[in-house]
């Protein structure tokens, strides 16, 4: 989900995921999401990534998350 308005210049981006992971003879089902807060005129954004085990035989933490600061380099693309 892109461009969820927060204010005139700030917006959110949400990327939810569900996935299945198998390692050797163990497996699990997980959900993950990233949430980004960005400004339309600035190259910086703040984001968080979260990961939650729904059902897992793999030895993992039940919930993991982090926060990051992203810088978007020039957005000049060449069309062919």
């Amino acid at each position: 989900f892109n461009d969820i308005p927060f204010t005139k210049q700030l917006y959110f981006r949400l990327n939810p995921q569900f996935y299945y992971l198998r390692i050797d003879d163990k497996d699990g089902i997980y959900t993950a999401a990233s949430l980004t807060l960005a400004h339309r005129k600035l190259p910086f954004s703040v984001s968080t990534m979260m990961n939650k085990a729904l059902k897992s035989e793999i030895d993992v933490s039940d919930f993991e998350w982090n926060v990051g600061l992203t810088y978007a380099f020039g957005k000049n693309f060449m069309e062919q």
Side-chain angles (χ1 to χ4, degrees):
F1 305 98
N2 291 319
D3 203 3
I4 303 166
F6 185 64
T7 67
K8 287 184 181 181
Q9 295 299 318
L10 295 173
Y11 66 95
F12 286 106
R13 182 172 41 245
L14 175 64
N15 298 313
Q17 300 176 14
F18 289 97
Y19 64 95
Y20 170 79
L21 177 64
R22 182 171 180 88
I23 298 177
D24 296 327
D25 60 344
K26 297 180 180 181
D27 62 357
I29 299 171
Y30 305 86
T31 184
S34 65
L35 178 66
T36 302
L37 176 63
H39 190 280
R40 297 190 191 286
K41 295 184 179 180
L42 296 176
F44 293 100
S45 62
V46 178
S47 61
T48 182
M49 297 180 71
M50 300 159 275
N51 194 40
K52 170 88 170 114
L54 300 176
K55 180 180 177 185
S56 181
E57 298 172 345
I58 302 168
D59 186 23
V60 296
S61 297
D62 184 50
F63 182 76
E64 299 268 347
W65 70 280
N66 65 40
V67 175
L69 178 64
T70 303
Y71 178 80
F73 292 95
K75 297 180 181 179
N76 298 327
F77 301 104
M78 184 171 49
E79 285 188 37
Q80 293 183 348

